[in-house]
Amino acid sequence: MARRILVTSGKGGVGKTTICVNLGKALTKLNKKVLLIDLDFGLNNLDVVMGVENKIVYDIFDIMEGKCRVEQAIIEDFANDNLFILPTNRTYCPVINSKDISEIVNLVDDKYDYILIDCPAGMDDGFARGVNICNEAIVVVTPHISSVRDADKIIVKLEEFGVSLTGLVINRARGDLILQGDMLGINTIVDYLALPLYGILPEDDEVGIQILVGGNLNKLSQSFTAYKMLARRIAYGESEIFDCTARYKGFIGGIRQKLRKHV
Amino acid sequence: MKNELQIVGERRLKNVLTIDKNNNPDKIKGVILSEIINVLNNYMNVTKGDIDFDVAINDKGGYTLKLFVDVRHLKLANHIL
């Protein structure tokens, strides 16, 4: 059986879709077979971030309507052998409930090691559809008050739905600002949300470039390293977490910090 | 090292989390209290009037449950066991 992990946040725009894709890619590097499912109906972007938007023939609604089999709708990533996506591709969305989704996921559950669900922002129907088919969740936050506030509410909801294992990922952390005290500290966020910290992902231009052109992250980028650590944390429970402040410490780091602030 | 901005940010975060939690209706407090009374009645005879119960927001933005119960007798052990 696959580990089904919901990637959620409460607030929109914190990077759920990007994390879904890059975590999926990092897990394939650990020889895991991963399926990504886009449950963000109507505002779907998983296909675009993954760079497979032109390969979609069928989507999750076609399976429901009996127009195709699940296997026909699933697309393999061109750059990663063990990464697959079950897309959604409709502007108008028919009514779909957790039971429908659950039946579809159950059909392919034993073929994958991980199923990552890209959950829509908010905590209404879309969230309920996703959380009902998962027993684990990753709560994504950025170091901003609004994001942490919404995450706090989502964590309560996850507990209500009986999600047993939940971890926190802090995305778009800027080490220079954290060191200068111009951004919420990592410890503050972890203390208030009281969840185990799975990983820290840095604010990184490489992610923007990756989304622009499709494909994989630059292996020399900070984000690549951070995702690798996150994947190992999730797959093997390893405790190493990316330190986004490291490159701004010491003499050279101090210069880098000043340059980033003033240039 | 925290500077003034970070301290202000943390204070604002704590403030919004506290406001959100304070917005929980009294109804929830009532549900918790009635569950507590059900559990306690296995071991002692208590009514709502015997219990001083409150849910307060703590410094960490979480909750502290305060519960004081006045009870004259515990139920006999053999009755419970």
Side-chain angles (χ1 to χ4, degrees), chain A residues 69-162:
Chain A
R69 287 176 289 110
V70 184
E71 291 79 6
Q72 288 176 291
I74 290 174
I75 301 166
E76 186 171 4
D77 184 37
F78 60 89
N80 297 273
D81 283 344
N82 278 324
L83 185 63
F84 300 82
I85 173 177
L86 178 53
T88 172
N89 195 26
R90 301 259 180 111
T91 308
Y92 164 72
C93 305
V95 176
I96 187 166
N97 57 38
S98 301
K99 193 166 162 278
D100 297 324
I101 307 271
S102 180
E103 282 170 8
I104 292 168
V105 175
N106 286 341
L107 288 172
V108 292
D109 186 72
D110 57 345
K111 295 188 176 76
Y112 299 93
D113 298 308
Y114 288 87
I115 296 177
L116 304 181
I117 312 279
D118 186 22
C119 181
M123 51 185 184
D124 43 24
D125 292 352
F127 171 77
R129 274 194 291 266
V131 76
N132 270 319
I133 57 166
C134 293
N135 41 23
E136 294 182 46
I138 291 173
V139 177
V140 181
V141 292
T142 56
H144 304 107
I145 295 174
S146 51
S147 169
V148 178
R149 179 192 203 181
D150 292 353
D152 191 50
K153 292 173 186 166
I154 277 295
I155 291 164
V156 174
K157 280 279 169 197
L158 288 168
E159 286 171 4
E160 282 175 17
F161 276 93

Side-chain angles (χ1 to χ4, degrees), chain A residues 145 148-149 152-153 178-185 188 191-192, chain B residues 1 3 5-6 9-10 12-14 16-17 20-21 59-61:
Chain A
I145 295 174
V148 178
R149 179 192 203 181
D152 191 50
K153 292 173 186 166
I178 290 172
L179 283 177
Q180 288 162 26
D182 292 343
M183 185 170 253
L184 282 176
T188 302
D191 281 352
Y192 277 118
Chain B
M1 186 183 65
N3 73 9
L5 293 176
Q6 200 164 33
E10 286 179 10
R12 291 187 63 220
L13 175 62
K14 185 179 167 185
V16 291
L17 294 179
D20 290 344
K21 285 174 177 153
D59 289 345
K60 292 230 163 196

